[in-house]
Amino acid sequence: LAMWTFDLYGSRILMETPESELRLRLGLRIGDFDNDYRSAAGIEGVAGTRLDRSSNYAALIGPAVGLTGVLHRGNHSFHGSFGQSVLIGTADLFGTVQDFTGPFSETPAVFNLERIYRAQDVAIPVTEFRIGYRYSLTGHFAVNAGINSSAWWDVPVPPGSIPGPGGDTVFHENTVVLFGLQAGVEYRF
């Protein structure tokens, strides 16, 4: 699983006081999402099935909108932001199912091979939330900490089959939620 985003945006002050600020952000988001999945099931040295799947996206691009705010209380500052974007583009969805005999290896003795490919136009909503705290130690030094969250909704997943009794089922986990923590020391000139 690999993903990245890059934002170009402008902001407009909606409200501003000496102790607080609220801004509207409008812009453009560029991103990429790649998902590769590999598994094997069987009896070692006898036979089994290997699944290789991937969903690879060319650069995705779309609109982004959000709100950011700051609240100052003496040496303490609280920062927050909420953003929504939609990444638009095409996903190349690949999948192979290989039935093999003998030991499992990178090049097993395959007796049945099924390939799946399709291109799919996508519009992936991405929701982001960030909250942070900053404490000014002196006029130049500060410490900060924060929490980030990002959710990618309805991401097309690699096509393929999961073997099992009663037939094949489609692998369909398609929402990715990420969380992150940050901490830092800041020096201002």
Side-chain angles (χ1 to χ4, degrees):
L1 187 63
M3 61 182 65
W4 59 265
T5 59
F6 179 77
D7 293 345
L8 298 169
Y9 62 86
S11 67
R12 178 167 176 81
I13 296 174
L14 299 176
M15 183 210 50
E16 185 175 35
T17 68
E19 295 181 339
S20 62
E21 178 182 289
L22 181 65
R23 290 179 176 260
L24 173 67
R25 288 183 6 180
L26 296 172
L28 191 64
R29 171 165 281 182
I30 302 166
D32 186 40
F33 186 93
D34 293 326
N35 185 7
D36 296 320
Y37 175 80
R38 179 176 286 175
S39 67
I43 300 173
E44 179 62 34
V46 179
T49 300
R50 176 176 158 168
L51 305 172
D52 293 297
R53 297 181 244 168
S54 66
S55 56
N56 295 312
Y57 301 74
L60 304 168
I61 191 166
V65 64
L67 291 172
T68 63
V70 179
L71 179 63
H72 301 285
R73 293 286 184 251
N75 290 346
H76 306 274
S77 296
F78 300 92
H79 307 262
S81 68
F82 174 79
Q84 182 65 53
S85 61
V86 178
L87 293 170
I88 301 165
T90 302
D92 291 322
L93 307 173
F94 298 96
T96 58
V97 179
Q98 301 176 25
D99 295 323
F100 63 90
T101 59
F104 177 72
S105 66
E106 286 298 315
T107 56
V110 175
F111 66 87
N112 184 28
L113 176 65
E114 177 186 342
R115 295 187 190 274
I116 302 166
Y117 169 78
R118 68 184 162 121
Q120 179 178 337
D121 291 335
V122 296
I124 303 170
V126 179
T127 304
E128 293 185 326
F129 177 73
R130 296 178 183 176
I131 190 163
Y133 169 75
R134 181 178 179 271
Y135 180 74
S136 295
L137 299 169
T138 66
H140 295 286
F141 284 98
V143 293
N144 58 57
I147 298 171
N148 303 322
S149 176
S150 179
W152 294 56
W153 306 94
D154 297 325
V155 178
V157 296
S161 302
I162 298 174
D168 298 333
T169 58
V170 177
F171 182 73
H172 56 73
E173 182 62 41
N174 65 351
T175 296
V176 179
V177 179
L178 306 167
F179 291 97
L181 299 173
Q182 76 173 55
V185 177
E186 181 181 316
Y187 176 76
R188 292 187 178 191
F189 296 97

